[in-house]
């Protein structure tokens, strides 16, 4: 097995889904749990998914989380999430404390758009616009090799 595993977490309004990928991007494991719609319980659920994936990979994995809403660069607080229990919370910091490691977070619509630009339907295009319609509504814009935030 590869030594550079990555964990991706999709934190939605009704579910939390995680995937373990090897260094080539091959899916090793995928797990999905329902969101309890409670901040601390969902932090614990994500922590448990990461522990399961790290046990499977027998390595310390990098972790990225797609979130509803956005994390303010000024305050670190989550804003505009349709999962209301996340708003005005230090989600990134609290998750990093729980996992005892650095975590990368990005708006879920931006994550979707970035993924499509790298190895999806939009990989050969200069600009991509995606819309997510689910528990919430979000959109992402990719232009000239970068996500346009805001």
């Amino acid at each position: 097995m590869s030594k550079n595993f990555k964990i991706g977490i999709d934190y939605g309004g009704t579910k939390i889904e995680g995937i373990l990928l090897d260094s080539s991007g091959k899916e090793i494991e995928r797990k999905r749990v329902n969101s309890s719609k409670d901040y601390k319980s969902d932090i614990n659920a994500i922590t448990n998914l990461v522990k399961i994936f790290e046990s499977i990979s027998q390595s310390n994995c990098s972790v990225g989380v797609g979130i509803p809403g956005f994390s303010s660069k000024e305050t670190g607080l989550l804003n505009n999430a349709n999962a209301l229990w996340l708003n005005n919370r230090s989600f990134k910091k609290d998750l990093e404390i729980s996992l005892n490691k650095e975590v990368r977070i990005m708006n879920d619509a931006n994550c979707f758009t970035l993924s499509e630009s790298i190895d999806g339907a939009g990989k050969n295009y200069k600009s991509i616009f995606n819309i997510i319609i689910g528990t919430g509504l979000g959109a992402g814009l990719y232009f000239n090799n970068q996500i346009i935030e805001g």
Side-chain angles (χ1 to χ4, degrees):
M1 275 195 185
S2 166
K3 295 186 183 205
N4 295 320
F5 292 90
K6 298 176 181 115
I7 297 172
I9 304 288
D10 180 12
Y11 188 171
T14 58
K15 56 89 179 152
I16 301 167
E17 187 166 356
I19 188 168
L20 174 64
L21 303 171
D22 70 12
S23 61
S24 69
K26 179 183 174 208
E27 180 178 327
I28 303 301
E29 186 76 29
R30 181 184 296 257
K31 294 203 176 291
R32 181 179 177 146
V33 297
N34 290 331
S35 167
S36 66
K37 298 184 170 118
D38 174 76
Y39 184 75
K40 288 182 182 179
S41 295
D42 283 355
I43 292 276
N44 289 336
I46 293 169
T47 300
N48 289 335
L49 284 174
V50 170
K51 286 179 181 178
I52 290 167
F53 292 146
E54 288 188 333
S55 176
I56 291 168
S57 68
Q58 299 180 1
S59 67
N60 184 14
C61 305
S62 62
V63 177
V65 183
I67 57 168
F70 70 95
S71 185
S72 168
K73 290 181 181 174
E74 290 80 27
T75 66
L77 300 178
L78 209 77
N79 295 297
N80 294 341
N82 65 307
L84 300 178
W85 57 94
L86 291 175
N87 287 320
N88 299 310
R89 302 286 194 125
S90 300
F91 177 76
K92 181 180 188 316
K93 179 182 173 186
D94 293 340
L95 188 56
E96 288 178 334
I97 289 169
S98 182
L99 291 171
N100 194 31
K101 69 168 68 194
E102 181 182 356
V103 175
R104 298 190 68 183
I105 65 171
M106 182 186 275
N107 172 270
D108 54 1
N110 287 343
C111 289
F112 167 50
T113 303
L114 184 59
S115 176
E116 287 298 314
S117 73
I118 292 169
D119 59 10
K123 70 180 175 183
N124 296 318
Y125 295 93
K126 183 177 177 179
S127 63
I128 303 162
F129 178 71
N130 284 317
I131 298 175
I132 293 176
I133 302 172
T135 307
L137 177 67
L141 176 61
Y142 172 90
F143 183 72
N144 278 343
N145 297 316
Q146 66 181 3
I147 289 292
I148 308 300
E149 294 193 61

